[in-house]
Amino acid sequence: MIQLVWLIPAIMFLAAAVNGLGVRRLGAMAGHIAWASMALCTLISFAILFEVRSAVAADPGWVAPTIVLWSWFDIPNPFGSNTPFTIDFAFRVDQLTAVFLCFVSFIGTLVFIYATGYMKEKHGGHVHLDPGYARFFCYVSLFAAMMFTLVLGANLVVMFIGWEGVGLCSYLLIGYFFDKPFSKDLSCADAGRKAFVVNRIGDAGLIVGMGLLFWGLGTFDFEGINQALTSGERADGSAIPAGFLLGGGLITAATLAMFLGATGKSAQIPLFVWLPDAMAGPTPVSALIHAATMVTAGVYMVARLNVAYFMAPDTMVVIAIVGAATAFVAAYAGLTQRGIKKALAYSTVSQLGFMFLALGVGSMAAGIFHVFTHAFFKGCLFLCAGAVIHALHHEEDMFKMGGLRRKMPKVHIAYLFATLAIIGFPLTSGFFSKDEILFSAWLAERGGPHPAFPYLTILAVATAILTAFYMGRTLFLTFWGESRVDPHAEEHLHDAPSSMAGPVLVLGVLALVIGFLNVPGAFGGGAHFHKFLAPVVDRGAEHAALLQNADFVVDHAAGQALYGPLVYSGEDPRSAKAYYGQARILAAVSVGLALLAFAFSFVLYGKGIAPLAETLQRRLRPLWEISFRAWAWDDVYNSLFKNGTMRASEGALAADRGIVDGLVNGSGVFCDRMGSLLRRLQNGQVQTYGLVMIIGVTIFLAYFLVGLGSALESDGAPALEPPTAAAASAMDVALTETSGATASETR
Amino acid sequence: MNETIAAYVPAISAYQVAPFAILSGAIVVLLILDALLKPEGRERILAGFTGVVLVATGLFFGFDILGGEGVPYFEGALKADQFGNLGALIICAGAFAYLVLAPQLVRSRRLPAGELYALLLFTVLGLTMLSVANELITAFICIEIVSLSLYVMVGIDRRSRKAGEAAFKYFILGAFASAFLVLGIAFTFGATGTTQLVSQPTPVEAIEPGTPAFNLGVADVLANGERLVPVVLAEGITPGSAAAPANLVMHGDAAYLVEPVNPLWVYLGFALLFVGMCFKLSFAPFHMWAPDVYEGAATITTMYIATASKVGVFAFLVHIIQAMSNWSEFPLLGAPLLGAVAILSMVWGNLAALVQTNIKRLLAYSSIAHGGYMLVGVSTLVTPRVLGDVDATAFVRDSLLFYLFAYTVTNVVAFGIVAHLGSKGEGDMQAYRGLGARKPLLAAAMTVAMISLIGLGIPGTIGFWGKWFIFKEAVSSGLIMIAVTAMVTSGISAYYYLRLVVLMYMRDPSSEAIVEKGEVVLPGFASRAVIGVATACVVIYGVFPGLFLAIGGRLPG
């Protein structure tokens, strides 16, 4: 089955093509094609996952096979190295990829089914499909194909195709309602553009990083990169530049540049500003692309290149700090949002920050596990939000909701489950994944040589508390208390249809229980998820440990890959077990504080909006403003970059119109005039044509005569001299009986 | 002595001349069949017969049966190498496309089918032999066979005054050009003492030690910088005797004087030869006939003149240039002339095309411009980097071959569509208004062809790679000025090619008259197949240029 893995993206490309070509004719069929294709992909993905599992079980040293579809480039190396510049269009399925395939396709299927219900409206018994119904399913199918390509790619270039492909689909889907306004100064099309432009900045970094890696290591292939970095030699046996050794400047620059790409795609500081506006897209898109899958591509990329990142400890510190800071900043912004999707969007940014914190402190598997659980609970939250918005005819303001749990009990239950998961209620999925991250950060801090580290766990715990508060707030504002719904809309209020409620409930239940896949050692579990991924994502940790201290052993059983600080400090690397006690205390403290915050949100919003909430808002006006306007990040960017750029653009436009257009049009006019002149020569008269030919011949002949003459003058080349006198006299002797013809020939 | 002579007689395999024999025989058979068969169904039988002959001939070249090693044979008259073989294959393919598109023309204009097909086979005979020719007189005869046949093919529609005028102009100017060609051959012979380009290898046992090879070709003479002048010895003079000149050599009983070649005669010979070729290939400033003839001839005949007929002549031009490039003096004055003609053709062709309103004239100027691009490749052949470097030479020749192929298939699409459109407007571009809505598939194919003709700028078509390979070699050989001109003129060309696309997709047919002008004769199945296959080639080779390997070519670079 692994050899047939290309079927997965191929099926989705096909689905996208069918929907795209039949965009005007398919009708409701489009949705069925999309979700059925996705379901088929899910089956294949799970088959592959089990195949990988059994292969690993049979042989712990199993090497993931590379499936070369075709050789894409095979040209001499542009950098002059001996290794040829070969790029295969190749896929590789290892543990990490198999996990991504499964959850992307599974959640994708649920979201597609949900979307078949979401993308139509009922009016007086008639069902109206959204006008762009097939277009929507074309885009999302294409997105799925690209996402699969991203995680399947065996080298950076194929991954980059997927990376850009999902970016394109994201742009198309954010701007799906391109003719509608989104907020007071953005239309949906603008929001799409914003996402696109911001992501370009990040992608520029990614390209620079790719180029640097290739220049230094001579390959784009992930396995080749790992080999080169761990062995210190390129495939052709030459040594890699010193800057690519542990802690070197070049590897740090390359990984930092690629991390810039990740901050764009995964919405981290400084490039997170596009994600809240990405909510302009239809809600299933927000759930699938802007919560569960695409935005985690940055996390995937870092985990995929974990060996390279571990070689650059400074980059890791940056990642950890950026992750923790983003988590806190976004969670704080989430406290006061009015729009339910906006609040969830900031929550997503915040959770992504958690994932990067995990990566930055070296616990790649913890980051991926949080990607995994987050996909379920955040996907569920968005789908619930979508169901509410759908039922309320596109009302997103939570202050105009309330009491919906009576009208929409199924959606409420799912939302409640997912909320419990995201705030880390004990034994839910979020509890396990968030706890692992906190523990990793805590461990990093213990050995932390870096002055920033001690604050990271504090930030992370604070974020967890904020998360509990704002998630409780969304839950209570939307589903609890008294109804603040517009009475006119309330008449039509109904629970979600089964096509929507089904996926929502499935995700909600899974969000509760899926954490048991990876119960860490501190709570008596086996950390199966982590151990499954470890051969892929902990390679960097092991290698870095090896370089620093040969005795160091990564303790997978503990559910933690001990990173950096312990390793780099050269401190005695003990087993993580020694820290189990601390881990338990940490979990108890963070969960306890979070539950307190959750309870506080109930006090404020559980029975309608309590007067205390308004008092607090008035008293803490400045703090409230900072939160509501999301730290004025957009305004800062606008005044720093956008306005300046716009003014510069206007200047450039004026210059362009005046000077460049003048030149361009002028050259066009010039060409046109010349053409007309030439046309006048083409007068249909054979005599004229003959004359031109004669002129041409004359010029040719004159050219050679003059050319030869000047050559004679300049150097008197012997070859150009006529036969010498000596030769001529010799000829007279020899040619006493030559015929006339021969004689003339000799001259 | 007799044994020595026997050793000279080259062993010719019958296969090596078979395609030409088949073609000659087929022409005779075709004309007899034409006279014997009853009118009903005659045209079909003749077309079928011609098709079979073309396929059979093409197979000889496609399977390289003539021997692609580039060794002259047939008394040095022919020399089949990979370039000539594939050129001949492209010619056969072009002729086949003509044949498939022809019946519609034959029926609508009531043309004599037998004569037309016989003329077509004549041109194929001339062109294929020309592309493997190694001897100037042979080449001249081939060119004349082709030219005379083409004159008649242009004017075969006696009811059309335009066609008659076109044929007449073509004939007059063509005869004019042939005169230069003959003069050029004469000068070359005078300068080098031979009309063979490359010598046929002499069996080793036939050479007496210490004597120069007897049958030298132009390439060898120029490489040595010496030619042999046959003389008759006076009584008592023997080589080595005191009275004998130092440059006297004997070959058997024959006596020769070894003399340095005179550069002036070589250059004059080359200049006049080149003029003749320039005319046939419609390089500026010898291109003036092309727009008038292209417009006057039936569209598919224009296609044939623009593609297949040029491939043969171009292949021979490459043979000549390669022979000349053995001469150390040639890059000094010859190479700049090639570059100048290339630049003039690109500039003139593209600028004049800007103001055309008739699609056939537009394509005529386009073909002049494309001739210029091909000459860029030829100029690259005589740059210091490429000269003497076997690999680099092979690359440039491959890139030229790819370009010829690209240009031919693209024009089959373009002219194939023009042939079915605006039969009343005779190529008026207004007939293409709103074609995208009326005939989406035809318009799409035309768009592909136009993009391929633009070449640079929009990847994904065969034309892109054609130009890419040529320009790449030119730039790495230091022909910066020429390459820049080529790219700038390519940019200019986008204007007039895309104008057609704009007409097809962004303009509505504004009046009834235009609708009538733009009446589409829906192509028959066979025509559609030809246009479809050619379009597919344009796109598929555009995406996977490596497939060129599949037809026996090599990929440059």
Side-chain angles (χ1 to χ4, degrees):
Chain A
M1 203 43 147
I2 287 180
Q3 292 297 325
L4 294 179
V5 74
W6 54 268
L7 273 174
I8 297 178
I11 289 170
M12 294 320 294
F13 272 123
L14 188 67
V18 170
N19 279 340
L21 291 175
V23 74
R24 287 185 198 151
R25 286 171 220 150
L26 282 172
M29 202 56 208
H32 299 313
I33 291 172
W35 77 256
S37 312
M38 202 65 172
L40 188 57
C41 290
T42 312
L43 290 179
I44 301 175
S45 298
F46 274 94
I48 285 175
L49 177 69
F50 288 121
E51 198 171 327
V52 171
R53 267 185 64 113
S54 55
V56 175
D59 170 19
W62 178 72
V63 178
T66 307
I67 300 108
V68 180
L69 297 184
W70 64 82
S71 177
W72 193 8
F73 287 91
D74 194 353
I75 54 176
N77 193 315
F79 297 126
S81 152
N82 285 332
T83 43
F85 183 77
T86 47
I87 301 174
D88 291 333
F89 198 98
F91 290 155
R92 187 177 292 130
V93 183
D94 57 11
Q95 293 90 326
L96 180 61
T97 297
V99 166
F100 263 83
L101 283 181
C102 286
F103 88 79
V104 169
S105 58
F106 178 72
I107 294 180
T109 309
L110 292 179
V111 173
F112 282 16
I113 294 172
Y114 174 94
T116 58
Y118 185 85
M119 296 306 288
K120 61 190 175 200
E121 306 260 354
K122 236 183 204 163
H123 286 297
H126 292 287
V127 175
H128 297 279
L129 293 182
D130 188 88
Y133 193 77
R135 179 163 62 93
F136 174 85
F137 281 103
C138 170
Y139 291 165
V140 289
S141 303
L142 184 64
F143 164 77
M146 285 300 181
M147 189 70 205
F148 290 135
T149 309
L150 194 161
V151 297
L152 278 168
N155 56 53
L156 276 168
V157 180
V158 177
M159 187 198 81
F160 189 73
I161 294 174
W163 184 280
E164 290 299 321
V166 291
L168 168 73
C169 296
S170 162
Y171 158 76
L172 290 171
L173 285 162
I174 294 170
Y176 175 77
F177 298 116
F178 54 84
D179 48 353
K180 299 208 175 78
F182 170 58
S183 64
K184 64 180 190 307
D185 34 65
L186 285 183
S187 71
C188 289
D190 286 337
R193 259 197 298 276
K194 181 173 175 183
F196 202 74
V197 170
V198 171
N199 267 294
R200 292 285 75 64
I201 299 170
D203 292 350
L206 181 59
I207 293 173
V208 169
M210 284 168 61
L212 271 175
L213 276 187
F214 180 78
W215 173 77
L217 308 178
T219 179
F220 281 121
D221 188 87
F222 293 123
E223 200 48 47
I225 289 171
N226 290 348
Q227 295 282 0
L229 283 171
T230 49
S231 68
E233 283 179 354
R234 300 196 187 102
D236 63 356
S238 57
I240 62 176
F244 282 90
L245 301 176
L246 180 65
L250 286 168
I251 187 76
T252 306
T255 47
L256 265 182
M258 296 179 81
F259 176 62
L260 183 65
T263 61
K265 187 67 73 194
S266 297
Q268 296 296 294
I269 292 173
L271 297 180
F272 74 93
V273 289
W274 65 272
L275 189 59
D277 287 328
M279 298 303 128
T283 308
V285 169
S286 309
L288 180 64
I289 301 184
H290 302 125
T293 57
M294 183 194 83
V295 288
T296 63
V299 182
Y300 169 81
M301 188 266 289
V302 175
R304 173 56 76 200
L305 289 167
N306 63 81
V307 176
Y309 277 91
F310 268 99
M311 301 304 273
D314 294 340
T315 308
M316 296 289 269
V317 172
V318 171
I319 294 177
I321 294 171
V322 167
T326 310
F328 181 78
V329 165
Y332 187 74
L335 292 176
T336 55
Q337 298 303 319
R338 288 177 72 107
I340 183 168
K341 281 179 75 179
K342 209 92 195 223
L344 290 177
Y346 281 111
S347 164
T348 304
V349 175
S350 169
Q351 297 296 315
L352 288 164
F354 264 117
M355 297 168 201
F356 278 101
L357 173 61
L359 301 180
V361 299
S363 191
M364 300 285 169
I368 296 296
F369 186 54
H370 200 56
V371 166
F372 181 70
T373 59
H374 176 255
F376 287 91
F377 57 69
K378 188 53 65 60
C380 177
L381 290 170
F382 266 114
L383 292 187
C384 292
V388 169
I389 293 166
H390 191 250
L392 293 175
H393 298 293
H394 300 282
E395 180 54 66
E396 296 194 10
D397 189 346
M398 290 185 288
F399 285 79
K400 295 178 183 165
M401 298 176 183
L404 290 177
R405 74 186 146 136
R406 288 181 292 274
K407 295 281 174 82
M408 308 180 76
K410 291 181 215 152
V411 175
H412 168 243
I413 285 292
Y415 198 93
L416 179 67
F417 286 174
T419 304
L420 290 177
I422 192 174
I423 68 173
F425 193 83
L427 304 185
T428 60
S429 61
F431 169 75
F432 290 118
S433 60
K434 196 182 287 185
D435 174 64
E436 189 176 356
I437 293 173
L438 291 178
F439 184 34
S440 303
W442 176 256
L443 283 179
E445 191 175 304
R446 291 308 87 211
H450 198 276
F453 275 178
Y455 302 102
L456 295 185
T457 314
I458 299 173
L459 263 183
V461 173
T463 307
I465 297 166
L466 294 181
T467 307
F469 178 80
Y470 71 71
M471 283 314 300
R473 177 174 170 270
T474 61
L475 172 73
F476 299 131
L477 275 178
T478 308
F479 292 99
W480 291 51
E482 293 307 312
S483 171
R484 296 177 298 277
V485 180
D486 177 33
H488 181 70
E490 186 133 26
E491 281 172 34
H492 306 287
L493 202 55
H494 55 89
D495 202 359
S498 54
S499 62
M500 290 161 74
V504 162
L505 283 169
V506 170
L507 280 179
V509 171
L510 284 176
L512 279 185
V513 302
I514 203 135
F516 287 101
L517 285 177
N518 195 31
V519 180
F523 297 98
H528 300 291
F529 191 89
H530 190 139
K531 273 193 246 170
F532 180 61
L533 288 181
V536 180
V537 298
D538 283 349
R539 271 180 78 169
E542 281 178 51
H543 181 65
L546 202 68
L547 286 180
Q548 292 292 314
N549 186 335
D551 298 334
F552 185 83
V553 179
V554 179
D555 189 350
H556 299 308
Q560 317 294 345
L562 297 186
Y563 157 67
L566 277 177
V567 179
Y568 294 121
S569 63
E571 197 179 306
D572 179 26
R574 282 145 298 178
S575 155
K577 279 197 180 106
Y579 295 96
Y580 279 2
Q582 295 176 16
R584 290 175 196 135
I585 296 169
L586 186 67
V589 169
S590 71
V591 169
L593 289 173
L595 288 180
L596 277 179
F598 189 66
F600 184 55
S601 74
F602 179 78
V603 170
L604 290 188
Y605 301 106
K607 294 175 174 160
I609 302 164
L612 179 59
E614 280 158 14
T615 320
L616 275 178
Q617 183 180 334
R618 231 177 311 113
R619 289 278 168 77
L620 303 175
R621 190 81 205 177
L623 289 175
W624 186 88
E625 279 285 342
I626 291 175
S627 168
F628 187 69
R629 297 174 58 188
W631 307 75
W633 214 281
D634 268 332
D635 305 321
V636 170
Y637 275 1
N638 281 349
S639 53
L640 269 185
F641 303 116
K642 192 180 141 202
N643 296 347
T645 310
M646 292 302 253
R647 266 197 292 281
S649 308
E650 276 158 20
L653 180 66
D656 186 58
R657 289 226 174 102
I659 301 167
V660 181
D661 279 10
L663 280 176
V664 170
N665 292 339
S667 63
V669 170
F670 172 77
C671 289
D672 214 58
R673 294 269 158 78
M674 290 302 292
S676 306
L677 266 182
L678 292 176
R679 185 160 67 174
R680 214 166 296 163
L681 204 56
Q682 193 81 28
N683 60 2
Q685 300 290 323
V686 179
Q687 295 90 318
T688 316
Y689 300 174
L691 183 67
V692 173
M693 278 175 74
I694 287 289
I695 294 172
V697 175
T698 314
I699 292 173
F700 276 25
L701 296 182
Y703 164 77
F704 280 123
L705 286 174
V706 173
L708 274 179
S710 65
L712 262 180
E713 265 176 34
S714 63
D715 58 12
L720 305 183
E721 281 171 21
T724 57
S729 66
M731 238 178 273
D732 289 337
V733 181
L735 309 177
T736 46
E737 279 185 30
T738 48
S739 68
T742 323
S744 73
E745 215 173 299
T746 56
R747 249 173 238 137
Chain B
M1 190 65 211
N2 280 344
E3 287 158 20
T4 317
I5 290 172
Y8 278 114
V9 176
I12 308 174
S13 151
Y15 296 121
Q16 293 187 305
V17 290
F20 313 117
I22 292 175
L23 280 168
S24 313
I27 293 165
V28 177
V29 174
L30 186 73
L31 289 172
I32 294 172
L33 276 179
D34 187 27
L36 294 183
L37 288 173
K38 284 185 190 133
E40 54 270 17
R42 177 169 63 189
E43 191 244 319
R44 260 163 207 274
I45 296 173
L46 295 179
F49 177 75
T50 315
V52 171
V53 172
L54 282 176
V55 170
T57 316
L59 287 180
F60 272 96
F61 297 111
F63 286 101
D64 199 9
I65 288 172
L66 275 59
E69 304 85 21
V71 180
Y73 63 96
F74 209 58
E75 294 294 345
L78 302 177
K79 175 173 76 81
D81 57 8
Q82 187 241 7
F83 195 89
N85 263 337
L86 269 178
L89 185 62
I90 296 173
I91 291 164
C92 290
F96 195 81
Y98 180 86
L99 183 70
V100 175
L101 296 169
Q104 196 160 24
L105 176 77
V106 169
R107 275 193 295 271
S108 66
R109 305 266 175 95
R110 280 174 293 156
L111 302 181
E115 292 166 30
L116 187 64
Y117 297 156
L119 288 166
L120 178 69
L121 288 184
F122 266 120
T123 61
V124 173
L125 171 64
L127 288 168
T128 51
M129 203 190 270
L130 184 59
S131 65
V132 296
N134 183 44
E135 207 264 337
L136 293 173
I137 303 295
T138 313
F140 178 71
I141 291 170
C142 291
I143 289 178
E144 283 309 290
I145 292 177
V146 176
S147 298
L148 290 170
S149 313
L150 285 179
Y151 303 148
V152 184
M153 277 168 80
V154 169
I156 200 165
D157 182 5
R158 274 165 299 179
R159 292 170 198 86
S160 163
R161 281 186 56 200
K162 259 190 167 175
E165 185 190 325
F168 186 68
K169 280 182 187 164
Y170 195 13
F171 174 67
I172 300 244
L173 295 171
F176 196 44
S178 292
F180 288 116
L181 201 58
V182 178
L183 260 178
I185 292 172
F187 270 113
T188 309
F189 178 71
T192 62
T194 177
T195 55
Q196 279 183 36
L197 292 181
V198 178
S199 61
Q200 183 167 2
T202 311
V204 176
E205 64 272 21
I207 303 174
E208 291 178 18
T211 60
F214 168 65
N215 48 349
L216 292 171
V218 172
D220 314 276
V221 171
L222 292 179
N224 299 335
E226 291 170 337
R227 62 179 186 146
L228 296 179
V229 181
V231 288
V232 177
L233 290 182
E235 281 299 322
I237 295 181
T238 52
S241 68
N247 57 347
L248 179 70
V249 295
M250 298 296 292
H251 187 69
D253 287 343
Y256 301 93
L257 289 181
V258 180
E259 277 188 10
V261 291
N262 186 328
L264 181 60
W265 300 141
V266 180
Y267 270 135
L268 286 186
F270 170 70
L272 294 170
L273 265 177
F274 187 51
V275 166
M277 308 297 259
C278 280
F279 176 84
K280 303 294 176 193
L281 290 165
S282 70
F283 293 150
F286 306 98
H287 67 282
M288 305 288 285
W289 60 276
D292 291 14
V293 172
Y294 280 30
E295 189 191 0
T299 306
I300 55 169
T301 310
T302 308
M303 172 195 90
Y304 191 66
I305 295 174
T307 57
S309 91
K310 284 198 177 177
V311 174
V313 183
F314 194 81
F316 189 64
L317 176 67
V318 171
H319 295 328
I320 290 184
I321 298 291
Q322 292 230 278
M324 287 284 171
S325 65
N326 281 303
W327 187 30
S328 57
E329 301 275 331
F330 187 74
L332 187 70
L333 289 177
L337 183 72
L338 292 176
V341 174
I343 289 179
L344 191 63
S345 295
M346 293 186 288
V347 172
W348 196 326
N350 280 314
L351 287 184
L354 284 179
V355 290
Q356 301 306 318
T357 55
N358 181 300
I359 181 84
K360 283 161 81 178
R361 288 188 82 87
L362 184 143
L363 288 173
Y365 282 109
S366 143
S367 116
I368 292 161
H370 279 274
Y373 298 127
M374 295 177 207
L375 256 189
V376 173
V378 178
S379 308
T380 313
L381 272 180
V382 290
T383 52
R385 182 185 80 95
V386 178
L387 273 180
D389 182 341
V390 178
D391 284 341
T393 306
F395 287 159
V396 178
R397 284 163 56 113
D398 291 340
S399 67
L400 276 172
L401 207 49
F402 191 92
Y403 199 97
L404 287 173
F405 178 65
Y407 176 71
T408 303
V409 290
T410 307
N411 269 321
V412 166
V413 178
F415 281 108
I417 292 170
V418 174
H420 292 97
L421 242 155
S423 52
K424 294 183 183 162
E426 269 301 313
D428 188 340
M429 281 179 75
Q430 294 304 319
Y432 291 79
R433 275 175 169 266
L435 189 71
R438 283 184 288 150
K439 296 282 164 207
L441 278 181
L442 274 187
M446 194 66 172
T447 306
V448 168
M450 290 298 124
I451 288 173
S452 178
L453 284 173
I454 298 170
L456 275 196
I458 310 174
T461 59
I462 191 169
F464 173 83
W465 293 107
K467 278 192 179 158
W468 169 263
F469 292 137
I470 293 243
F471 293 179
K472 189 182 117 218
E473 291 296 325
V475 169
S476 41
S477 303
L479 300 179
I480 304 296
M481 259 312 293
I482 296 180
V484 167
T485 313
M487 286 176 209
V488 170
T489 51
S490 290
I492 292 175
S493 76
Y495 172 76
Y496 59 83
Y497 291 127
L498 289 183
R499 202 175 51 185
L500 192 71
V501 178
V502 168
L503 276 178
M504 290 193 297
Y505 285 103
M506 299 176 197
R507 300 279 182 276
D508 291 327
S510 58
S511 70
E512 300 241 328
I514 284 168
V515 174
E516 195 182 318
K517 254 190 200 170
E519 178 197 32
V520 181
V521 183
L522 207 61
F525 172 74
S527 308
R528 265 182 290 177
V530 162
I531 296 171
V533 168
T535 313
C537 277
V538 170
V539 175
I540 292 171
Y541 283 104
V543 181
F544 305 104
L547 283 181
F548 195 50
L549 300 166
I551 64 162
R554 287 170 306 188
L555 213 54

